Amino acid sequence: MKTHKILFVCLGNICRSPMAEYVLRHRAREAGMGNAVITASAGTSGWHDGEGMHCGTADVLDGLGIASHDFVSRKLKASDVRDYDYLIVMDDSNLRDVEKLFGRQPEKIFKINDLLPKGSGYDHVPDPWYTGNFNETRDILTACCDVLLTRLQNGEM
């Protein structure tokens, strides 16, 4: 089975991208693909380098039975575009920032919501740092990660 290296990217790397990182990793293990899906996350800002994830994200992951105590926030780096098969961002602003660094590569760099069917109601993952709604973020990311995992399993990516 082919190994897929996926980097999730958001602004601060303490809410959305770590949630996606751990949800997809957990789902892949449940599906028997744990060794074939390698996940990580980064932020475009670097504001929280070296910190743990937001307590709201940690609480959501705990509620899902996903251990996240080993997480450390980091900023996106130049080598990430070489080191990962996909750089999956949370919103248009993240997409612009990542494309500014690495150029437009839609087969490699895209918004996670682009995985959902048209008309899903979301064109980005709302940042719970601002909304306070970590459960909404969890629900959207879980739906996106399920589609991503299915596509990886089916060799569509």
Side-chain angles (χ1 to χ4, degrees), residues 10-109:
C10 68
L11 179 62
N13 189 222
I14 59 168
C15 295
R16 297 173 292 173
S17 58
M19 191 181 296
E21 171 188 356
Y22 282 83
V23 166
L24 182 62
R25 185 182 303 158
H26 179 74
R27 295 281 220 229
R29 285 183 184 144
E30 287 182 331
M33 292 183 63
N35 295 329
V37 179
I38 297 167
T39 64
S41 63
T44 58
S45 71
W47 292 338
H48 300 284
D49 276 0
E51 295 179 15
M53 67 181 63
H54 189 286
C55 60
T57 296
D59 289 347
V60 162
L61 294 174
D62 287 346
L64 296 171
I66 301 172
S68 60
H69 60 276
D70 60 343
F71 177 79
V72 178
S73 177
R74 73 170 180 89
K75 185 176 181 178
L76 188 67
K77 53 190 176 185
S79 61
D80 287 333
V81 74
R82 290 186 317 271
D83 294 342
Y84 291 92
D85 301 310
Y86 303 102
L87 279 67
I88 303 177
V89 304
M90 302 295 134
D91 61 33
D92 289 328
S93 178
N94 303 149
L95 185 60
R96 279 190 302 275
D97 290 343
V98 173
E99 287 180 340
K100 198 177 298 179
L101 290 171
F102 305 126
R104 189 170 183 282
Q105 301 179 52
E107 71 290 343
K108 182 177 186 106
I109 302 169

Side-chain angles (χ1 to χ4, degrees), residues 133-149:
N133 194 340
F134 286 85
N135 291 330
E136 176 187 41
T137 299
R138 176 204 59 213
D139 294 346
I140 296 166
L141 288 176
T142 298
C144 292
C145 286
D146 286 348
V147 172
L148 178 58
L149 186 59

